mmCIF file of all heavy atoms in Angstrom:
data_model
loop_
_atom_site.group_PDB
_atom_site.id
_atom_site.type_symbol
_atom_site.label_atom_id
_atom_site.label_comp_id
_atom_site.label_asym_id
_atom_site.label_seq_id
_atom_site.Cartn_x
_atom_site.Cartn_y
_atom_site.Cartn_z
ATOM 1 N N ARG A 28 -7.538 -23.738 -4.711
ATOM 2 C CA ARG A 28 -7.995 -25.104 -4.353
ATOM 3 C C ARG A 28 -7.642 -26.086 -5.531
ATOM 4 O O ARG A 28 -6.591 -26.795 -5.371
ATOM 5 C CB ARG A 28 -9.563 -25.185 -4.042
ATOM 6 C CG ARG A 28 -10.104 -26.322 -3.384
ATOM 7 C CD ARG A 28 -10.229 -27.588 -4.220
ATOM 8 N NE ARG A 28 -11.232 -27.344 -5.241
ATOM 9 C CZ ARG A 28 -11.382 -28.199 -6.274
ATOM 10 N NH1 ARG A 28 -10.625 -29.196 -6.400
ATOM 11 N NH2 ARG A 28 -12.426 -27.956 -7.123
ATOM 12 N N ASP A 29 -8.251 -26.005 -6.611
ATOM 13 C CA ASP A 29 -7.920 -26.827 -7.670
ATOM 14 C C ASP A 29 -6.540 -26.508 -8.220
ATOM 15 O O ASP A 29 -5.684 -27.391 -8.577
ATOM 16 C CB ASP A 29 -8.952 -26.764 -8.937
ATOM 17 C CG ASP A 29 -9.174 -28.177 -9.511
ATOM 18 O OD1 ASP A 29 -8.303 -28.978 -9.627
ATOM 19 O OD2 ASP A 29 -10.229 -28.427 -9.955
ATOM 20 N N HIS A 112 -19.218 -25.600 -0.881
ATOM 21 C CA HIS A 112 -19.314 -26.225 -2.267
ATOM 22 C C HIS A 112 -19.162 -27.738 -2.044
ATOM 23 O O HIS A 112 -18.232 -28.280 -1.679
ATOM 24 C CB HIS A 112 -18.189 -25.804 -3.155
ATOM 25 C CG HIS A 112 -17.988 -26.356 -4.503
ATOM 26 N ND1 HIS A 112 -16.957 -26.263 -5.340
ATOM 27 C CD2 HIS A 112 -18.872 -27.235 -5.143
ATOM 28 C CE1 HIS A 112 -17.117 -26.898 -6.526
ATOM 29 N NE2 HIS A 112 -18.322 -27.464 -6.408
ATOM 30 N N PHE A 114 -19.490 -31.666 -3.257
ATOM 31 C CA PHE A 114 -19.394 -32.385 -4.609
ATOM 32 C C PHE A 114 -19.564 -33.924 -4.298
ATOM 33 O O PHE A 114 -19.206 -34.400 -3.225
ATOM 34 C CB PHE A 114 -18.089 -32.101 -5.398
ATOM 35 C CG PHE A 114 -16.890 -32.743 -4.826
ATOM 36 C CD1 PHE A 114 -16.397 -33.928 -5.285
ATOM 37 C CD2 PHE A 114 -16.246 -32.166 -3.653
ATOM 38 C CE1 PHE A 114 -15.222 -34.591 -4.793
ATOM 39 C CE2 PHE A 114 -15.044 -32.763 -3.126
ATOM 40 C CZ PHE A 114 -14.570 -33.905 -3.727
ATOM 41 N N SER A 154 -21.748 -29.905 -6.936
ATOM 42 C CA SER A 154 -21.220 -30.263 -8.183
ATOM 43 C C SER A 154 -21.384 -31.879 -8.326
ATOM 44 O O SER A 154 -20.882 -32.581 -7.471
ATOM 45 C CB SER A 154 -19.682 -30.003 -8.252
ATOM 46 O OG SER A 154 -19.378 -28.671 -8.394
ATOM 47 N N GLU A 156 -19.721 -34.431 -9.731
ATOM 48 C CA GLU A 156 -18.400 -34.659 -10.173
ATOM 49 C C GLU A 156 -18.428 -35.580 -11.393
ATOM 50 O O GLU A 156 -19.209 -36.586 -11.508
ATOM 51 C CB GLU A 156 -17.481 -35.229 -9.216
ATOM 52 C CG GLU A 156 -15.993 -35.373 -9.547
ATOM 53 C CD GLU A 156 -15.198 -36.145 -8.575
ATOM 54 O OE1 GLU A 156 -15.755 -36.831 -7.708
ATOM 55 O OE2 GLU A 156 -13.940 -36.096 -8.627
ATOM 56 N N PRO A 184 -19.124 -30.158 -13.798
ATOM 57 C CA PRO A 184 -17.679 -30.275 -14.100
ATOM 58 C C PRO A 184 -17.466 -31.154 -15.193
ATOM 59 O O PRO A 184 -18.134 -32.275 -15.323
ATOM 60 C CB PRO A 184 -17.145 -30.808 -12.781
ATOM 61 C CG PRO A 184 -18.315 -30.952 -11.862
ATOM 62 C CD PRO A 184 -19.441 -30.923 -12.591
ATOM 63 N N THR A 186 -14.756 -33.094 -15.297
ATOM 64 C CA THR A 186 -13.743 -33.497 -14.298
ATOM 65 C C THR A 186 -12.403 -33.880 -15.095
ATOM 66 O O THR A 186 -11.345 -33.614 -14.597
ATOM 67 C CB THR A 186 -14.259 -34.506 -13.362
ATOM 68 O OG1 THR A 186 -15.422 -33.857 -12.717
ATOM 69 C CG2 THR A 186 -13.266 -34.795 -12.292
ATOM 70 N N HIS A 217 -17.105 -26.131 -14.879
ATOM 71 C CA HIS A 217 -15.732 -26.247 -14.360
ATOM 72 C C HIS A 217 -15.060 -27.247 -15.240
ATOM 73 O O HIS A 217 -15.229 -28.477 -15.233
ATOM 74 C CB HIS A 217 -15.903 -26.924 -12.833
ATOM 75 C CG HIS A 217 -14.671 -27.296 -12.145
ATOM 76 N ND1 HIS A 217 -14.224 -26.605 -10.980
ATOM 77 C CD2 HIS A 217 -13.769 -28.201 -12.483
ATOM 78 C CE1 HIS A 217 -13.146 -27.231 -10.607
ATOM 79 N NE2 HIS A 217 -12.797 -28.192 -11.461
ATOM 80 N N HIS A 219 -11.720 -29.028 -17.113
ATOM 81 C CA HIS A 219 -10.366 -29.344 -17.044
ATOM 82 C C HIS A 219 -9.815 -29.493 -18.473
ATOM 83 O O HIS A 219 -10.566 -29.414 -19.442
ATOM 84 C CB HIS A 219 -10.035 -30.682 -16.235
ATOM 85 C CG HIS A 219 -10.144 -30.451 -14.800
ATOM 86 N ND1 HIS A 219 -8.983 -30.119 -14.128
ATOM 87 C CD2 HIS A 219 -11.028 -30.363 -13.865
ATOM 88 C CE1 HIS A 219 -9.207 -29.848 -12.897
ATOM 89 N NE2 HIS A 219 -10.589 -30.052 -12.686
HETATM 90 O O1 KIV B 2 -12.924 -31.352 -11.389
HETATM 91 C C1 KIV B 2 -13.786 -31.464 -10.532
HETATM 92 O O2 KIV B 2 -14.777 -32.254 -10.751
HETATM 93 C C2 KIV B 2 -13.676 -30.817 -9.289
HETATM 94 C C3 KIV B 2 -14.982 -30.658 -8.462
HETATM 95 C C4 KIV B 2 -14.621 -30.718 -6.893
HETATM 96 C C5 KIV B 2 -15.776 -29.487 -8.747
HETATM 97 O O3 KIV B 2 -12.679 -30.120 -9.016
#
Side-chain angles (χ1 to χ4, degrees):
R28 199 277 298 168
D29 218 324
H112 177 187
F114 74 99
S154 286
E156 191 191 10
T186 302
H217 173 114
H219 277 270

